[in-house]
Amino acid sequence: MKNRYLAMVRALCAVGLFCLFLVSGPALADESKEKNIVYTLSLHGSVNPGSADFLARALARAAADDAHALLIELDTPGGLVTSLRQMVKDILASPLPVVVYVAPAGAQAASAGALLTIAAHVAAMSPGTEIGAAHPVGIGGNDDQDGGPMSEKAVNDLAAFARSLAEERDRNSGWAEDAVRKSIASTAREALEAGVIDLVADNRDELLAAIDGREVDTASGVVMLSTAGAEVRELTPSLQEQVLMRLADPNLAYIFIMVGLVGLYFELANPGAIFPGVAGAISLLLGLFALQALPVNVVGLLLLVLAVVFLGLEVFVTSGGVLAISGLIALLVGSLMLFDTPETGVSLSMYVFLPVFIAVSITMLLIAWLVARSAMTGPASGPESLLGAEGRVVRAIRPGEPGKVYVHGELWNAESAESLDERTEVVVDRVSGMVVQVKSKKERVS
């Protein structure tokens, strides 16, 4: 009887556990399924094609993995307008919410970074950060205030772009336009009060908790954010994106191009040096790789090549310095025109341009001078270097009977049309193979 009761109890326990599994199993599955994923990436440094590619890949990866949102931690001084426009297009077309968070403390969202922040579905900043100063800059990083048609066109275009983004996200469009036209900038608290951003958060966890439950309008419709306690997954740039991010800098590209041109110029002026040619070729290729990611003015690039051609011709053509001066002028104008600044916002820092230009100019002129001086002076070795050299007879020379002379620290077989006794001072008149033709030094003086 006792065994029968035990069997019944066991059966009832099994049935209870089975029913509990049926009830709680779907709930557990639903809880696991509802655990959201938030992808995050860091965009530090200039806005360039590398960062644009990285953002596009991150959006595609987050969408493919059914992530709930993409969080961008931003710290940038600005960058290319062309890359900014591509990144904004990707954000506006994103089916999942994009959160831009200017962080950590001390970070900035300047120039292109300000417009990228405004374009986000949720814009946030960390205390101690700043945003703004989106006015297009000219060469040297100075505001382009000359009022020229290209400058006015660039400012008006970027101002309209900023105003459009702010209106799309229901943010302060007046501030956005002033950031472009007047280069205004704001702290995190000022930007929050001005309606430029949505909130200020001390860290990532606080941000995700603060935006939980907020509704945002994405390309796929209205989405309610559910980010509190979400699983955060970090995305890192690929090797190609990292290289492109670092090389897609106009200042670095300019340095590579100039070093490459100097190296190739040195190799052409001194064939066989090898190392300058190899180093120059590598630098030039790196510079060209960087230039393909930047908006380059073809005329400016051709002027740089023309400068090297002029300076190279100065070595072989006697122009009285005309070719050298023309080459330096082409080098200066080509450097100033290298990047299409008014249309794209790409600028070459004057702190890079002036030292590099002066150093390259001096180096090229020095090489040209050394080669020209070497061409003007006679050979320093070999039989040709003996012509006009002075020496003395160490074994008497008679017409038809060769003797020996001491010239340039060496003994040479010598012939002469006159009789020359030992210790006679002579001058080399001609070299025939290993025999020198000499004559008396007194005869040459007379």
Side-chain angles (χ1 to χ4, degrees), residues 32-366:
S32 175
K33 183 178 180 180
E34 290 176 0
K35 187 174 181 60
N36 292 318
I37 299 173
V38 173
Y39 273 103
T40 180
L41 70 151
S42 297
L43 289 181
H44 294 168
S46 66
V47 174
N48 55 56
S51 54
D53 290 346
F54 183 29
L55 176 60
R57 183 173 63 86
L59 286 169
R61 171 71 179 277
D65 290 352
D66 199 22
H68 187 67
L70 178 67
L71 172 62
I72 303 171
E73 294 188 354
L74 184 66
D75 180 11
T76 176
L80 307 184
V81 175
T82 50
S83 298
L84 166 68
R85 288 184 179 275
Q86 183 58 53
M87 296 169 80
V88 169
K89 287 179 183 178
D90 291 339
I91 291 175
L92 295 178
S94 173
L96 72 157
V98 176
V99 181
V100 171
Y101 179 39
V102 184
Q108 62 176 337
S111 191
L115 303 189
L116 190 65
T117 304
I118 292 174
H121 298 99
V122 178
M125 296 176 67
S126 173
T129 57
E130 59 181 289
I131 184 173
H135 188 89
V137 295
I139 189 164
N142 299 319
D143 286 351
D144 200 1
Q145 304 282 10
D146 58 6
M150 292 302 293
S151 169
E152 185 178 357
K153 175 184 174 183
V155 173
N156 290 338
D157 181 62
L158 198 59
F161 184 53
R163 189 171 59 251
S164 174
L165 291 176
E167 292 173 352
E168 174 69 19
R169 296 303 186 208
D170 196 22
R171 298 198 170 101
N172 191 333
S173 59
W175 184 97
E177 184 172 358
D178 286 343
V180 175
R181 295 190 181 277
K182 301 179 182 179
S183 294
I184 65 169
S186 301
T187 65
R189 294 297 175 186
E190 292 171 345
L192 180 61
E193 293 173 0
V196 179
I197 61 173
D198 300 310
L199 71 156
V200 175
D202 290 329
N203 51 58
R204 182 193 297 173
D205 292 336
E206 181 180 323
L207 171 64
L208 294 177
I211 64 176
D212 185 63
R214 182 187 296 264
E215 290 186 347
V216 294
D217 190 8
T218 68
S220 60
V222 177
V223 175
M224 177 178 289
L225 292 171
S226 179
T227 53
E231 178 186 350
V232 178
R233 296 181 183 178
E234 187 82 24
L235 288 172
T236 57
S238 64
L239 178 61
Q240 180 180 354
E241 291 163 348
Q242 291 182 45
V243 172
L244 195 57
M245 286 181 191
R246 284 162 175 76
L247 288 182
D249 183 320
N251 298 306
L252 190 59
Y254 180 70
I255 292 173
F256 276 129
I257 289 293
M258 299 303 282
V259 171
L261 293 178
V262 170
L264 293 181
Y265 175 71
F266 188 90
E267 183 66 28
L268 292 174
N270 300 270
I274 299 177
F275 177 75
V278 172
I282 294 175
S283 296
L284 194 59
L285 288 175
L286 289 174
L288 292 175
F289 177 79
L291 289 182
Q292 76 172 353
L294 296 169
V296 177
N297 189 318
V298 178
V299 176
L301 187 60
L302 291 177
L303 281 172
L304 294 183
V305 176
L306 188 63
V308 177
V309 173
F310 282 161
L311 290 169
L313 289 176
E314 181 66 27
V315 175
F316 307 103
V317 178
T318 304
S319 67
V322 173
L323 286 173
I325 294 174
S326 300
L328 292 180
I329 293 175
L331 189 66
L332 174 64
V333 177
S335 299
L336 295 174
M337 294 176 58
L338 186 58
F339 299 107
D340 193 7
T341 300
E343 290 292 335
T344 61
V346 180
S347 63
L348 183 62
S349 172
M350 192 64 72
Y351 296 106
V352 173
F353 164 67
L354 280 181
V356 171
F357 174 76
I358 293 172
V360 168
S361 300
I362 293 175
T363 301
M364 286 187 166
L365 288 176
L366 181 61

Side-chain angles (χ1 to χ4, degrees), residues 1-18:
M1 180 71 75
K2 184 177 180 181
N3 292 335
R4 184 180 301 174
Y5 285 131
L6 287 175
M8 292 176 62
V9 170
R10 288 174 182 171
L12 290 173
C13 289
V15 172
L17 290 174
F18 180 72

Side-chain angles (χ1 to χ4, degrees), residues 370-395:
L370 290 175
V371 173
R373 190 185 69 168
S374 175
M376 292 174 63
T377 58
S381 61
E384 294 81 5
S385 65
L386 295 175
L387 294 176
E390 299 180 356
R392 71 175 186 277
V393 179
V394 296
R395 192 173 74 188

